[in-house]
Amino acid sequence: MASEGEISLLVVVVDVNPIWWGQHAQSEPEFTLSKCLDAVMVMGNAHMAMTRTNQLAVIAAHCQDSHFLYPSKRLKGNDDTSSSRDGKYELLSVTNNLIAEEIRDIMSKTELTGNSTDTLLAGSLAKALCCILLKTVVFLLAQEIKSRILVIKAADDCALQYMNFMNVIFAAQKQNILIDACVLDSDSGLLQQACDITGGLYLKIPQKVALAQYLLWVFLPDSEQRSLLVLPPPAHVDYRAACFCHRTLIEIGYVCSVCLSIFCNFSPICTTCETAFKIQLPQMVKPKKKKPKLPA
Amino acid sequence: MHFVSFTMASLSEEVLLVVKKVRQKKQDGTLYLMAERIAWGPEGKDRFTVSHSYSDIRCQKISPDGKAKVQLQLVLHTGESTTFHFANESTSRKDWEAAKELLQQLLPKFKKKANKELEEKNKMLQEDPVLFQLYKDLVVSQVISAEEFWANRLGGINNGESAACENKQEVGISGAFLADIRPQTDGCNGLRYNLTADIIESIFRTYPAVKQKYKENVPHNLTEKEFWTRFFQSHYFHRDRISTGTQDIFSECARQDEKGLKSLVTQGVKNPMVDLLSLEDKTLDEGYGISSALPSTSHASRTVKESSNFAIIKRFNHHSAMVLAAGSRKRDVPADQASETSSTDGNSRDSDFFQPPLKKVKLQEAIEYEDLQQENRPKTVALNLKKSDRYAHGPVPLQSQQYTTSQDIINSVNYIKHEMSNYKPNLTQVLSSAAASSAIAALSPGGVLMQQVAQQAINQMVPTEIQAELKHLYVAAGELLRHFWTCFPVNTAFLEEKVTKMKSNLERFQITKLRPFQEKIQRQYLSTNLTGHLECMLQAAYSKFHIWQTRRMMRKT
């Protein structure tokens, strides 16, 4: 359990890509975005109910932009007409209602631009980091604050966001923020790297309908408690580089010593920086630099 | 302790002292001090049973004065010690003193040759426990010899010995050395001055004139004791030094000091920024500065007290100047006249050379800062990137996109919009128990997601001693393999020899260290293959050696 006065902040980033969800909702009607959000709410409630000082934030990652579902700007000035009648902890009911309102709002405002069909995940992560930073500053004088980010990913990776993604990952690592990933559909190399670098958990769940169970079992405990539990082991991350010419993942390749661009085949002129390399021996074309060289 | 047997007849060394009736280990015998070693032989025998060369002896210890047993103990560098008991009833004291004095003179000569290398090696081993363990594993168990072990590590030691001696800091002279003499009353109207060798050395270094007098007079005219007695008696030493024309041998010293002081004053200060002459001991006498002060520089106008104060101050200044000058002179100065005419000396005879632009240099130093100047960096070539967007993609391979038609997209979006417009959280129906239990089953050990957990506890299965031993084996093997692989490509005969030797070393290592370890783990029923990788590395080395050998054979035939 967190020690007295320690604040634990959980930021959940939910991938609400309407195209992906729309497609999959048609093929799998038992697991829809509504169910997914319900599961997220259950987890959020559980997190807040564990300790009074726990904090929650939920961000929806859309393909146009990313929104804060909670805490949202609607907090103030909302006369609570829909107060729950079941005697629930006030904070939880407010949270749930806000999240529901926000997501309805966001989805109704979805516009088809046709440009991008990819989720703006890097942007959402950046927003999550900013939110954490803000809370950290606010609470800095009072108590210690521990934060983590949980990403619930649906759609595929977007290669264009690579640089931003890596920046976010390293920023999180510097700030000791864990990034966990719960992947619904296909494996994501970027998120695997993120979890490996920051020390979080990566899990691709076999059954989407049991999402709530996975969330509560694996992602609800914080990092201190995780060391005491038996959880799924970390996945093997593929850190191979992709060559610049074909974008294939390679293990042994050629690196230009001037611009450090990676190639799978030797060429006398580096196509990135146009440096000419002399071929040393006519019969044996020696590579400039090899990765693990086996002694033989 | 070397048990060397020489016959006495074949002694070609010069014997400096022979002491009869010296007991060692309860045996009577004779002690011989020779030019390069000290030896002891039992009574009536021809051989020396104990022989130590002076360079092996670290120090000697003597029994205190009051004890009945007169003993002398020699402590060697290796830590061993030998004790000699001077048992001759009548002359034991004298013998012992003579032996002690001789040893005291001889030991320092040989001390410097003491094995600095050995000390350095010991220090290195003590400081680095990993190195120490490696040494124990490899050299003590005779897998490789000590020279090979130290070959790469002691790079600078052999060259650095002379440098180390030069870099030793010289001990300066305490300014208060004269005060350390501290005369004590003897009880009957006499004074007792305590002179140690240090103080004498300080006096000689500071006042070369006194050293000169010492050389001239001792031991021809005066004994050392008499010299120092005269020294302390003379007015030269005392503070109210009035240089009268007495028959003191030190009056000349006093005159030299005066001359030196005058030359110091005329030299002035070298730093052109410092203007000493603007400082004056002015007191606001009568008139509070308004009335013109009488210049009081003539001797005649001084009172007796003033002149004695003047003398003391002059003496102090001179003493300080001499101490500073002596400290800045090199330590091992040859005892000739020429070196004593250094320019900073108060007894200088000629003035030093003059640097005209010194002031300019000092001014420039004060104005300019090195790091604010223009940097003269070497010319560099700019990096010229044509397709820099390649870096932005990173190692994400081009995956086959699932192409969706625009109609699909429109449909999906409309569907989801429709679905979410009526969204109400229904938290009581989130999870069915069937789904939950199957998820739990997947997450429990042995489930779908938990396959690798059982394999991970290897470091908990192997006891820590085995782990530590394995680490040591890796360090030792790594060291040997490093020696082996650096021999390639084999160009010289030395490398050929070394590579063959290293191969045999590796084999020896495998037999003496690796096999017992493997047997040990087998005995403990550990099924994990801990030494597989080590074997693999050794095999790679062997196969490389084999290839090299066959190639060499082929070249020769």
Side-chain angles (χ1 to χ4, degrees), chain B residues 22 92 113 147 183 204 351 392 448 466 544 557:
Chain B
V22 175
S92 64
K113 294 185 200 162
E147 296 96 49
F204 284 162
S351 62
V448 171
I466 305 257
K544 174 74 176 178
T557 56

Side-chain angles (χ1 to χ4, degrees), chain B residues 169-402:
Chain B
Q169 274 191 328
E170 296 159 9
V171 180
I173 306 173
S174 153
F177 67 83
L178 283 179
D180 283 338
I181 299 178
R182 232 171 287 154
Q184 300 157 342
T185 47
D186 215 346
C188 39
N189 255 4
L191 284 174
R192 202 182 143 84
Y193 289 90
N194 281 333
L195 264 186
T196 64
D198 273 341
I199 295 180
I200 292 179
E201 207 196 313
S202 308
I203 294 177
F204 284 162
R205 273 175 75 181
T206 319
Y207 296 103
V210 177
K211 189 173 183 180
Q212 187 68 20
K213 288 281 174 214
Y214 182 83
K215 281 211 202 109
E216 283 169 12
N217 289 316
V218 175
H220 327 285
N221 298 343
L222 308 160
T223 62
E224 200 173 331
K225 203 165 172 186
E226 278 184 23
F227 179 80
W228 289 114
T229 323
R230 289 253 195 118
F231 178 76
F232 288 120
Q233 282 174 347
S234 79
H235 280 288
Y236 181 70
F237 180 68
H238 289 281
R239 63 182 204 142
D240 301 331
R241 196 204 292 184
I242 304 161
S243 46
T244 57
T246 51
Q247 281 299 324
D248 208 343
I249 52 174
F250 295 104
S251 48
E252 200 190 317
C253 295
R255 282 196 282 272
Q256 272 183 2
D257 281 350
E258 283 277 340
K259 263 196 274 173
L261 200 58
K262 283 209 172 66
S263 73
L264 253 185
V265 169
T266 50
Q267 254 179 46
V269 181
K270 275 201 201 141
N271 191 348
M273 299 304 203
V274 173
D275 186 13
L276 276 180
L277 296 175
S278 63
L279 303 169
E280 267 181 51
D281 272 342
K282 260 204 217 135
T283 55
L284 287 180
D285 267 343
E286 302 174 11
Y288 289 92
I290 299 176
S291 63
S292 57
L294 294 166
S296 57
T297 48
S298 58
H299 279 251
S301 63
R302 282 223 199 99
T303 60
V304 173
K305 189 161 180 272
E306 267 185 32
S307 70
S308 69
N309 287 348
F310 189 69
I312 296 177
I313 292 175
K314 210 165 67 160
R315 189 110 182 270
F316 277 148
N317 287 340
H318 179 67
H319 176 76
S320 309
M322 298 293 277
V323 168
L324 283 176
S328 61
R329 248 182 270 144
K330 286 278 188 244
R331 190 183 178 94
D332 294 326
V333 81
D336 54 352
Q337 290 283 2
S339 62
E340 291 175 7
T341 59
S342 64
S343 56
T344 50
D345 199 341
N347 279 341
S348 68
R349 282 153 191 114
D350 46 298
S351 62
D352 56 334
F353 48 88
F354 171 58
Q355 290 177 1
L358 191 62
K359 192 165 185 177
K360 195 171 177 195
V361 168
K362 281 219 179 285
L363 277 173
Q364 222 161 8
E365 268 176 25
I367 316 173
E368 292 174 349
Y369 284 103
E370 228 176 68
D371 40 356
L372 293 180
Q373 306 286 2
Q374 279 281 1
E375 267 186 61
N376 291 328
R377 264 183 285 189
K379 296 271 180 212
T380 51
V381 181
L383 185 62
N384 180 19
L385 294 175
K386 292 283 182 251
K387 298 183 190 166
S388 53
D389 57 315
R390 281 179 175 181
Y391 293 98
H393 286 301
V396 179
L398 286 171
Q399 285 157 342
S400 58
Q401 303 280 7
Q402 285 168 328

Side-chain angles (χ1 to χ4, degrees), chain A residues 77-112:
Chain A
N78 193 13
D79 203 9
D80 205 5
T81 50
S82 56
S83 58
S84 65
R85 277 163 249 131
D86 55 2
K88 206 190 299 188
Y89 179 22
E90 182 85 19
L91 178 62
L92 299 184
S93 62
V94 167
T95 307
N96 295 345
N97 291 335
L98 276 173
I99 293 177
E101 266 188 62
E102 281 288 335
I103 193 70
R104 282 197 293 263
D105 197 42
I106 291 167
M107 290 321 240
S108 62
K109 288 184 187 157
T110 307
E111 281 165 24
L112 283 171

